[in-house]
Amino acid sequence: MKVQGKMFLWLAAFILVMAIVYGVWSKEPAGTTALFLAFGLSVMIGYYLAFTARRVDALAQDDKEADVADEAGEVGFFSPHSWQPLSLAVGGALAFMGVVFGWWLLYFSLPIILIGLWGWVFEYYHGDNRTQ
């Protein structure tokens, strides 16, 4: 993770220089503000990655002599299927249609969104897995 932290911090330095150059050259406040916000976000991500890299074991990407196969293994658990994103998509579509057709449509979309969100968060906490 040290590599990613350094990459984001160097990206932040580049964005800062470009924000200053853009701000002086164009005198346009919206783009300058957006570049300074991008600088702040890059610093936050780079600091987090650099801070976390000190507390975890060294990964294969931190070793210059490592092979690609050194990081092989289980990556994590990914859900094979879930109906909850469909519920969130339908609720989100109704919510955005509420902006067009009338705010009253949000009364119908909010329960659908909350049911989908609740189901997505707790989909593996029922049945045999409810005590884990």
Side-chain angles (χ1 to χ4, degrees), residues 47-131:
Y47 175 75
Y48 171 77
L49 290 173
F51 180 76
T52 305
R54 284 186 265 146
R55 300 189 319 164
V56 297
D57 295 333
L59 300 173
Q61 60 197 1
D62 296 325
D63 183 15
K64 293 183 190 247
E65 302 295 325
D67 293 327
V68 174
D70 290 344
E71 279 293 322
E74 183 178 333
V75 177
F77 174 74
F78 300 98
S79 182
H81 65 281
S82 178
W83 287 97
Q84 307 310 322
L86 179 64
S87 173
L88 288 172
V90 169
L94 280 175
F96 283 112
M97 285 193 321
V99 175
V100 175
F101 296 114
W103 295 102
W104 57 269
L105 203 51
L106 290 175
Y107 292 119
F108 298 103
S109 65
L110 187 62
I112 297 172
I113 290 173
L114 291 177
I115 288 170
L117 189 61
W118 182 272
W120 207 358
V121 169
F122 294 110
E123 70 182 329
Y124 290 107
Y125 291 102
H126 59 80
D128 295 336
N129 298 325
R130 72 172 175 251
T131 59

Side-chain angles (χ1 to χ4, degrees), residues 30-43:
T32 306
T33 303
L35 284 170
F36 277 112
L37 289 174
F39 162 73
L41 290 173
S42 295
V43 167

